[in-house]
Amino acid sequence: MAIGAFVESGGGSSAGAGGGYGCRVTPFVVLSCVVAGSGGILFGYDLGISGGVTSMDSFLENFFPSVYHQKQDNKVSHYCQFDSELLTVFTSSLYIAGLVATLFASSITRRYGRRTSMLIGGTVFIAGSVFGGAAVNVFMLLLNRILLGIGLGFTNQSIPLYLSEMAPPQYRGAINNGFELCISLGILIANILNYCVVKITGGWGWRISLSMAAIPAAFLTVGAVFLPETPSFIIERDGDTDKARILLQRLRGTTSVQKELDDLVSASNLSRTVRYPLRNIFKRKYRPQLVVALLVPFFNQLTGINVMNFYAPVMFRTIGLKESASLLLSVVTRLCATFANIIAMIVVDRFGRRKPFLVGGIQMILSQLAVGAILAAKFKDYALMDKEYAYLVWITMCVFVAGFAWSWGPLTFLVPTEICPLEIRSAGQSIVIAVVFLMTFVIGQTFLAVLCRIKSGTFFVFAGWICLMTVFVYFFLPETKKLPMEQMEQIWRKHWFWKKIVGEEEEEKQAGKTALPST
C-alpha cells in the first residue's frame, strides 16, 4: 500500500481506455508486429554476442593477445584483467556507427516510411555478419561492428515507431514491449550459442557466433517486404484516407474506425506544416517531449544494464568462475530477464508506466548496492572470490537484470514514442536511439577501465544514478497508459510542472492573436 500510494502521487491521469476507439487485437496486427518486433532480436543478439566472444580464450588469443596474456599474469589485478582500449573499441564501435546512422534514418523513416528503414537496416546487418564470420584481423572485426551499427541505427529508429502506430491504444504498451522481449530473446540466443560453440575443438566457434546474426536479419528483411505501412504514414505521405480506413479496419477488426481515422488525419495535417522535425522538437511547446526523449534513454544506460549485456561472461570470469560456467550463468541470467519481459507485457497496460518505472528503479538500486557491498567485502585484487560469494553476486545480478527487464528496459522505447505527436515522432525516436547509442558507447568504452580503477565502487556509482532517475520519474513523468497518441498533449496541460511551460506557450499564442489589428 505504501509503495502504491508513493507511485500514484505526482502523475497525470489518462483518458478513457483507448480514447473511445473501437478496436481489438487481430491476427493481422499481431503478425505485422511479430515481423517488425523481430528487429529487436538483432539488437539483443549483438548486445549478447560481443561479451561472450570476448570472454573466449581462443578469440582473445587471435585478435587481442595482450588481454590474453594479462589473464595469465598473476601480478595483474582481477579487476584489470580485461582492461584494454582495443577490446572495448571492438565492443563499442558499433554504437557510434548506430548513433550517426539513426540521425540519417529519421528523415528516411519520415519521408519513405517505417518499412523502408527496416529493409535498409536488415540488409546492412546481413553484410556486417559476413565480415564478422570471415574476420582474419581486427580491421575486419571493426568493419563488422560498424556495419552492424548502421543496420541497428535504422531498425531501432523505425521499429518502435511502427509498433506504436500499428497497436490499438489500450494494448500499445504490451505490443511495444514485445520489442524489448525480442531484445531479451536475442541476448538469450546469443548466450546459448556462445555456450555451445566454446566447446568446439579448434577454437573457431566464435566465427559461428559472429556470423549467425545474419539469420534474424534475413527474417526481418524478407518479412518487411510483405509488411503494410502504418495508417499514420499512409495518410501523411499520400493523404489517402480510404486506403488508411481499409487498413485500420483490418488492424482493429471492426468497421467503427472513423474516430481514430479523424484523429490521424488531424495529426497528419499538423505534421505537414512541420518541415524540419529535428529543429522543431526544440520549440517550447515540445519541451516535455524533448526532455523525456533525452533523459529516459540517458538514465536507461546509466543503470549499468549494458555492463551485464556486454560483459556478463567477462564479469563472471573476473570473479573467478571458469569459461564454460561463466557462459552458462549468462544464459540463466538472460532467462530471468526474458521471464521479466513477459511480466512487463502483462502489467504495463494494467498498471501503467509510472509504477513499473518506480518499483523497478527501487529493485535495481538495492541490487547494485548489494553487488558493490559483496565485492567490496569479499573480492580482493589478487585472490579469487570464494565460490559461494561468486554465486551470490550472480543471483543479485539476476535480480537486477529482472528489475530492468520488466520496467526501464521496455518503457525506454515505449514512453518517448507514444508521447510525441506525429509531426515530431520520427525526430523524437531518433533522439532516443541516438542517446541510447551514445551512452552505450560511453559505457562500453569506459566500463572495464573504470572497474580497474575504482573496483567495487563502480556499482555504487550506478546505484546513485538509478536513485536520480527514479526521482525524475516520480516528479516529472505523467501517466500515459491507454491514451491515444493523437490525444497525448492533454497530459502536459494537467501536469503540475509541465503545464507551466506548455500553458505559457498557449498564453503567448493567444496574446499574439489578440495583439493583431482587426481588418
Side-chain angles (χ1 to χ4, degrees):
M1 291 295 291
I3 292 176
F6 171 80
V7 172
E8 287 297 336
S9 61
S13 61
S14 63
Y21 298 167
C23 51
R24 61 185 177 85
V25 177
T26 61
F28 183 58
V29 76
V30 169
L31 182 61
S32 299
C33 291
V34 164
V35 173
S38 67
I41 294 178
L42 296 181
F43 192 22
Y45 186 90
D46 204 78
L47 285 171
I49 212 69
S50 59
V53 297
T54 53
S55 72
M56 297 179 187
D57 288 338
S58 58
F59 180 79
L60 294 174
E61 194 173 9
N62 272 284
F63 298 102
F64 306 97
S66 62
V67 178
Y68 178 76
H69 293 304
Q70 274 180 193
K71 288 173 70 274
Q72 318 302 320
D73 190 347
N74 293 330
K75 296 180 180 179
V76 176
S77 167
H78 292 306
Y79 283 106
C80 301
Q81 286 182 343
F82 288 88
D83 183 21
S84 164
E85 287 188 9
L86 187 59
L87 182 64
T88 51
V89 165
F90 164 73
T91 299
S92 59
S93 57
L94 178 150
Y95 302 98
I96 281 296
L99 167 63
V100 175
T102 195
L103 298 177
F104 286 101
S106 174
S107 59
I108 291 176
T109 300
R110 189 168 191 257
R111 182 174 301 179
Y112 301 106
R114 290 63 170 136
R115 196 169 64 101
T116 300
S117 285
M118 291 184 220
L119 285 167
I120 294 172
T123 302
V124 176
F125 206 94
I126 293 171
S129 302
V130 172
F131 280 98
V136 294
N137 52 45
V138 173
F139 174 77
M140 290 184 71
L141 282 181
L142 292 179
L143 184 58
N144 155 259
R145 302 294 286 176
I146 290 169
L147 289 173
L148 295 184
I150 294 171
L152 289 178
F154 277 88
T155 57
N156 282 16
Q157 196 276 337
S158 55
I159 288 173
L161 280 182
Y162 187 89
L163 295 174
S164 291
E165 293 179 355
M166 293 291 275
Q170 62 266 49
Y171 304 112
R172 185 173 61 242
I175 289 176
N176 202 285
N177 281 6
F179 183 67
E180 180 68 19
L181 176 61
C182 287
I183 292 176
S184 192
L185 288 172
I187 298 173
L188 176 61
I189 292 168
N191 288 339
I192 292 173
L193 188 61
N194 282 333
Y195 175 70
C196 294
V197 301
V198 77
K199 301 177 183 298
I200 294 177
T201 304
W204 54 270
W206 56 268
R207 292 190 183 277
I208 297 176
S209 294
L210 294 180
S211 61
M212 290 292 282
I215 293 179
F219 178 79
L220 173 66
T221 305
V222 174
V225 173
F226 301 99
L227 287 179
E229 266 298 353
T230 68
S232 294
F233 178 73
I234 290 172
I235 295 171
E236 185 179 17
R237 179 189 60 187
D238 304 325
D240 192 340
T241 55
D242 290 334
K243 184 177 179 181
R245 178 184 287 106
I246 293 170
L247 178 58
L248 272 176
Q249 289 172 350
R250 291 185 67 192
L251 291 171
R252 306 300 183 239
T254 177
T255 57
S256 302
V257 297
Q258 190 60 45
K259 189 176 189 309
E260 183 173 5
L261 184 64
D262 290 342
D263 283 343
L264 292 177
V265 170
S266 177
S268 177
N269 290 337
L270 179 59
S271 176
R272 287 196 184 95
T273 66
V274 178
R275 292 186 61 192
Y276 305 105
L278 273 173
R279 185 186 304 171
N280 276 273
I281 199 172
F282 289 92
K283 289 183 176 178
R284 185 185 183 91
K285 67 178 179 178
Y286 300 127
R287 193 65 48 78
Q289 291 92 335
L290 176 62
V291 170
V292 172
L294 285 169
L295 289 187
V296 168
F298 175 80
F299 285 134
N300 171 290
Q301 294 304 300
L302 289 173
T303 59
I305 186 61
N306 275 334
V307 169
M308 290 300 300
N309 290 338
F310 293 156
Y311 301 122
V314 171
M315 279 291 299
F316 296 145
R317 292 209 70 182
T318 298
I319 60 178
L321 298 173
K322 300 299 183 183
E323 182 179 63
S324 182
S326 298
L327 293 171
L328 179 59
L329 291 183
S330 298
V331 171
V332 180
T333 303
R334 187 43 48 181
L335 284 172
C336 294
T338 303
F339 178 74
N341 285 140
I342 296 171
I343 296 297
M345 296 180 70
I346 296 171
V347 304
V348 69
D349 288 315
R350 178 175 299 179
F351 298 112
R353 284 49 165 157
R354 280 170 52 82
K355 286 181 180 178
F357 263 135
L358 294 170
V359 179
I362 293 170
Q363 183 176 340
M364 288 188 287
I365 291 168
L366 296 176
S367 301
Q368 291 284 32
L369 290 175
V371 170
I374 296 168
L375 292 179
K378 298 295 180 181
F379 189 49
K380 308 305 178 185
D381 286 74
Y382 302 102
L384 293 178
M385 179 184 282
D386 292 339
K387 189 164 290 187
E388 58 267 26
Y389 287 107
Y391 283 111
L392 183 59
V393 168
W394 165 66
I395 291 170
T396 309
M397 286 184 172
C398 285
V399 175
F400 165 77
V401 169
F404 179 88
W406 77 273
S407 60
W408 275 81
L411 292 174
T412 294
F413 293 101
L414 169 62
V415 171
T417 300
E418 69 181 0
I419 64 171
C420 288
L422 183 61
E423 64 270 18
I424 60 163
R425 193 171 297 155
S426 181
Q429 183 63 14
S430 283
I431 289 173
V432 171
I433 299 304
V435 173
V436 166
F437 280 142
L438 176 61
M439 293 307 299
T440 302
F441 168 79
V442 171
I443 296 296
Q445 188 65 32
T446 62
F447 171 71
L448 293 177
V450 170
L451 182 67
C452 178
R453 285 156 182 79
I454 67 173
K455 303 173 184 179
S456 60
T458 307
F459 299 92
F460 295 116
V461 172
F462 285 137
W465 279 111
I466 301 171
C467 286
L468 184 60
M469 76 188 196
T470 304
V471 170
F472 167 76
V473 168
Y474 178 66
F475 285 107
F476 298 107
L477 189 67
E479 184 55 72
T480 58
K481 70 173 181 179
K482 298 184 180 179
L483 185 64
M485 291 192 291
E486 289 69 34
Q487 300 174 17
M488 199 67 72
E489 63 178 23
Q490 60 186 273
I491 65 172
W492 310 113
R493 295 173 183 166
K494 296 178 181 178
H495 189 271
W496 72 273
F497 177 80
W498 295 117
K499 69 181 180 182
K500 301 173 186 176
I501 296 174
V502 178
E504 288 175 7
E505 171 82 12
E506 293 297 321
E507 289 173 7
E508 289 173 7
K509 281 186 178 180
Q510 293 300 324
K513 290 179 181 178
T514 304
L516 289 174
S518 57
T519 57

